[in-house]
Amino acid sequence: MKYKLYENSDNNTSNVLEEVLRNRGIDDYEKYLNLDEDVLIPYENLDNMNKALELFMKHFNNKNKIEILVDSDPDGFCSAAMMYSYIKKMNADYPVNYILHARAKAHGLDDDIVISDDTKLLIIPDAGTNDTEQCRELSEKGIDILILDHHESEEKNPYALIVNNQMSNNYSNKDFCGAGVVYKFLQALDAETWNEFADDYLDLCALANISDVMDMRSFETRYITNLGLLNITNKCFQALIKAQDYSINGKVNIHNIQWYITPILNGMIRIGSSDEKELLFRAFIEKDEFFEYKKRATKNKPTETIQESIYDRAARLCKNAKSRQDKMKEKGVKAISEVVDNLPIDDKVIMVDVSDLLDSGLTGVVAIKIAEQYNKPCILLKKHFDKKTKTTVFGGSARNIDNSPIDSFKDIVNSTGFINGEGHANAFGIVDLPVDDKEKAINMMNSILRNTEYDSTYRVDFILDINHVTIPLIIKLSQFEDIICQGIDEPMLAIENISLTRDCFEVFGKNEDTISFMVNDIKYIQFKCKEGNQLYDFLQNAWDDNDSITFNIVGKPSINEYNGIRTPQIIIEDVAVISTNSNDEDDDW
């Protein structure tokens, strides 16, 4: 175990909020903790906004048919729901339809969707910027295309009207999701039509920003997300929170939404059936429906048939899909690990053909796990037939590791000349890699990254002696419960010189794999310990309660609340044993 302070850290505990936020790149911590509307950027700063308004209003006033493409991720669902619901609020009878992808993980104008011939305006939220050829074909059919997107432009697309924060020099916030751009467009529509509807969708905008892993160090993104979570009115969003209440424990904050709501949405969108995903979208646009549902018998209640709202049904189906996905993911990670174990250890990037090992909807989530497990960027590829070139090519997903020395994995991938990566800098899709170029691509990346080292050293906010870890310090650091988000990780401490005897430890849990001890009324706890964990090994091998151990830990501070009792604690991430001492002899580890 290795650890080091954040660069330029003072290791000063006199103002832990300031110190931790400065370590995360927030210089004005007081402003960040007290954001107001001054951080908002005018929607007019987005290029083409006025033209987009004119285009939309032309079709709306003529009651032309509008279709909205729903992209295959939570941001896509939220942004399309916002756009659809706004139009219906303007005119409940307006001829607007939505289109969902038939294939998992399809994005933008992929070949699994069909645009109706009588459509006059196609709106594509959260996608479409780089779908130049498809836009050309639709434009030639007389269909106008409005793209409200946040993905980087890879090529010119003159066949659609694009509003995109990445392409707008005067819009400084680049950490804004597709729903964020849609929200800005709805603000512009409010001003144009003398309505006040846009803010009704701030909750979906917040959910999308969190789910699309936007960097919340952006003052505007954080402020809009804060506003959305303070007023959650969407019935589907409310049902998702209710369904996860046990895990959330009544605390609706960015961290809990990211860990307990986003995953069940992703599970549904990745592996749910077409009917299930369509039902989820109907729930997001608040189509009030009811279904008969047979609740399973329990110890105290027999099976009963109830009326289940579309919102509760959507939430239940999302949880079920997540459970199925987890089983598939676990199986996939195991199978792919066996392949990776046989790859050259010096490869700088893991690249695996998983065509026979993994469902296409899971390449992204499994790539994250493989990258974490091996501490290397990962690309998982699946073969498919390209109708245009009439050849078999690879598509797939790429993920970088946390705290990577590579700022943009996508730039590295694209610089090979063999691979085309589209999406975010460190989480993106692979498009049409010729099968025969796979080995050339990995060789090129090995060459580009030959001097890159993936450092597994923990970055910590404070390095403290065990006697300097106090209850007031833990209480102060626990305030980050509502602050942590993408870009602002939980505080991390390195705690040194812990010396305890065997009888100071408690080992418990179903599998006897949880270890805890108390020092200065602070509880230290490590979960899922197993052979190879030096602390676990000591406790397994110690013969006498007076056998002692000296060790350092890296851990995260928190407050544990159980039965109304709040206990300051450190959740141990890793352990390094310095020495052990038994009644019989001294052992150095």
Side-chain angles (χ1 to χ4, degrees):
M1 181 184 74
K2 295 186 293 183
Y3 51 83
K4 63 181 179 181
L5 290 169
Y6 278 82
E7 188 175 356
N8 299 321
S9 173
D10 293 333
N11 202 31
N12 183 357
T13 59
S14 62
N15 188 336
V16 294
L17 288 176
E18 179 179 17
E19 181 79 358
V20 174
L21 285 173
R22 187 159 54 82
N23 288 343
R24 306 298 184 275
I26 303 292
D27 292 328
D28 191 343
Y29 84 99
E30 288 184 338
K31 182 174 182 179
Y32 186 77
L33 297 176
N34 298 280
L35 295 171
D36 57 34
E37 61 184 10
D38 289 345
V39 301
L40 296 176
I41 303 171
Y43 60 77
E44 295 94 340
N45 286 26
L46 286 163
D47 289 359
N48 294 325
M49 183 60 84
N50 288 334
K51 292 179 181 179
L53 274 174
E54 292 174 8
L55 178 66
F56 177 86
M57 293 307 302
K58 179 187 76 172
H59 287 285
F60 184 84
N61 290 331
N62 290 330
K63 291 186 167 57
N64 292 333
K65 180 179 178 180
I66 296 174
E67 286 195 310
I68 301 171
L69 180 57
V70 184
D71 210 52
S72 294
D73 61 18
D75 187 10
F77 270 61
C78 290
S79 55
M82 292 166 65
M83 193 71 247
Y84 181 94
S85 300
Y86 189 101
I87 293 172
K88 283 296 188 180
K89 188 168 281 193
M90 290 174 74
N91 180 351
D93 298 320
Y94 194 86
V96 54
N97 293 338
Y98 55 84
I99 308 165
L100 275 77
H101 284 279
R103 190 171 61 242
K105 296 295 289 180
H107 291 285
L109 290 169
D110 219 327
D111 59 6
D112 68 326
I113 61 163
V114 177
I115 310 299
S116 303
D117 290 336
D118 59 344
T119 297
K120 297 301 181 184
L121 175 64
L122 174 65
I123 301 177
I124 309 177
D126 187 40
T129 294
N130 298 301
D131 294 339
T132 305
E133 184 60 26
Q134 299 95 316
C135 288
R136 183 187 65 79
E137 293 173 3
L138 291 173
S139 179
E140 289 175 353
K141 293 180 181 179
I143 299 174
D144 286 331
I145 304 163
L146 173 58
I147 291 171
L148 305 170
D149 194 13
H150 73 124
H151 293 93
E152 293 180 2
S153 174
E154 312 285 349
E155 55 183 291
K156 291 184 178 180
N157 185 355
Y159 306 104
L161 185 57
I162 302 175
V163 180
N164 186 322
N165 59 323
Q166 306 295 341
M167 301 167 64
S168 303
N169 291 333
N170 292 325
Y171 204 90
S172 57
N173 182 10
K174 306 303 180 184
D175 299 303
F176 214 22
C177 70
V181 177
V182 169
Y183 171 67
K184 292 292 178 174
F185 180 68
L186 300 186
Q187 282 189 311
L189 277 177
D190 271 358
E192 179 72 17
T193 59
W194 293 77
N195 286 315
E196 294 182 352
F197 300 157
D199 285 0
D200 294 344
Y201 309 107
L202 277 169
D203 53 353
L204 291 185
C205 186
L207 176 57
N209 272 311
I210 295 167
S211 299
D212 222 43
V213 202
M214 293 294 98
D215 192 329
M216 293 287 170
R217 290 175 295 184
S218 159
F219 283 14
E220 181 185 49
T221 301
R222 178 74 194 231
Y223 179 64
I224 286 176
T225 301
N226 288 346
L227 289 180
L229 295 188
L230 286 172
N231 190 27
I232 297 173
T233 60
N234 183 270
K235 295 176 184 177
C236 183
F237 195 178
Q238 289 176 340
L240 291 166
I241 291 172
K242 178 184 173 184
Q244 293 291 73
D245 184 62
Y246 177 79
S247 300
I248 289 175
N249 195 26
K251 298 174 182 176
V252 178
N253 54 34
I254 292 173
H255 178 265
N256 284 344
I257 297 299
Q258 185 171 9
W259 280 91
Y260 302 112
I261 303 300
T262 297
I264 64 173
L265 278 176
N266 276 327
M268 168 66 85
I269 295 169
R270 287 181 181 126
I271 67 167
S273 69
S274 295
D275 287 344
E276 288 174 333
K277 287 185 275 193
E278 208 269 340
L279 182 143
L280 174 62
F281 188 75
R282 295 203 312 274
F284 268 124
I285 59 177
E286 299 186 311
K287 294 274 190 182
D288 288 330
E289 302 174 45
F290 288 89
F291 305 83
E292 283 194 353
Y293 171 55
K294 286 188 177 181
K295 291 191 71 174
R296 289 181 181 176
T298 64
K299 185 177 181 180
N300 300 318
K301 283 187 177 181
T303 300
E304 61 176 327
T305 301
I306 65 169
Q307 290 289 304
E308 183 179 43
S309 74
I310 189 173
Y311 312 108
D312 291 338
R313 191 178 188 88
R316 178 173 59 81
L317 292 175
C318 282
K319 290 186 70 172
N320 292 345
K322 173 65 165 55
S323 296
R324 298 198 306 273
Q325 176 198 273
D326 286 347
K327 293 176 183 177
M328 296 165 65
K329 179 179 70 176
E330 184 177 345
K331 183 179 177 182
V333 169
K334 182 178 179 182
I336 294 165
S337 296
E338 293 175 359
V339 176
V340 176
D341 286 341
N342 292 310
L343 294 177
I345 195 171
D346 293 332
D347 278 355
K348 294 296 185 178
V349 174
I350 294 168
M351 182 185 283
V352 180
D353 175 3
V354 297
S355 300
D356 300 324
L357 301 174
L358 195 64
D359 182 273
S360 61
L362 298 177
T363 53
V365 68
V366 174
I368 294 170
K369 289 296 180 182
I370 295 295
E372 290 175 351
Q373 183 174 323
Y374 292 92
N375 197 42
K376 288 182 183 180
C378 177
I379 300 174
L380 299 184
L381 302 169
K382 284 187 72 71
K383 293 174 184 174
H384 68 271
F385 184 74
D386 186 359
K387 295 179 181 178
K388 292 181 180 178
T389 62
K390 293 183 169 47
T391 59
T392 299
V393 297
F394 283 123
S397 299
R399 297 292 185 270
N400 200 356
I401 56 174
D402 289 339
N403 301 318
S404 174
I406 303 169
D407 291 331
S408 173
F409 186 31
K410 186 180 72 172
D411 288 348
I412 296 294
V413 163
N414 288 339
S415 70
T416 65
F418 296 106
I419 317 177
N420 180 23
E422 292 186 358
H424 302 300
N426 292 300
F428 54 93
I430 301 298
V431 182
D432 299 339
L433 168 66
V435 170
D436 292 340
D437 287 345
K438 175 176 173 288
E439 292 305 317
K440 299 175 187 174
I442 188 66
N443 290 335
M444 181 63 75
M445 283 188 287
N446 281 337
S447 176
I448 295 170
L449 298 171
R450 61 186 177 275
N451 296 320
T452 301
E453 295 296 332
Y454 304 119
D455 189 356
S456 59
T457 300
Y458 289 97
R459 288 194 298 173
V460 299
D461 295 286
F462 306 102
I463 299 175
L464 303 172
D465 185 270
I466 183 65
N467 293 316
H468 294 155
V469 182
T470 62
I471 290 176
L473 175 65
I474 304 303
I475 291 173
K476 287 180 183 177
L477 289 170
S478 72
Q479 295 178 50
F480 276 89
E481 178 182 56
D482 292 323
I483 302 173
I484 54 176
C485 56
Q486 184 63 26
I488 299 181
D489 298 328
E490 297 169 84
M492 187 85 82
L493 308 179
I495 302 172
E496 300 178 331
N497 304 317
I498 307 170
S499 293
L500 300 172
T501 54
R502 171 67 179 82
D503 63 346
C504 294
F505 295 91
E506 182 181 3
V507 180
F508 58 97
K510 180 180 178 181
N511 299 314
E512 293 288 309
D513 60 355
T514 299
I515 299 171
S516 73
F517 57 90
M518 298 285 290
V519 178
N520 297 329
D521 294 324
I522 297 169
K523 186 173 186 176
Y524 293 76
I525 187 165
Q526 186 171 28
F527 301 99
K528 295 182 179 179
C529 304
K530 58 185 179 181
E531 188 175 340
N533 176 308
Q534 295 181 337
L535 197 54
Y536 179 87
D537 291 343
F538 164 76
L539 295 174
Q540 293 293 312
N541 297 322
W543 288 96
D544 190 281
D545 280 352
N546 291 319
D547 288 354
S548 63
I549 184 170
T550 301
F551 58 101
N552 301 333
I553 68 165
V554 167
K556 297 176 179 178
S558 68
I559 301 292
N560 179 51
E561 187 168 342
Y562 183 71
N563 287 337
I565 299 173
R566 291 168 58 84
T567 305
Q569 68 179 16
I570 301 286
I571 298 175
I572 300 171
E573 295 288 314
D574 210 345
V575 175
V577 172
I578 308 304
S579 65
T580 61
N581 182 46
S582 70
N583 286 335
D584 298 326
E585 59 181 330
D586 291 343
D587 294 318
D588 288 332
W589 288 53

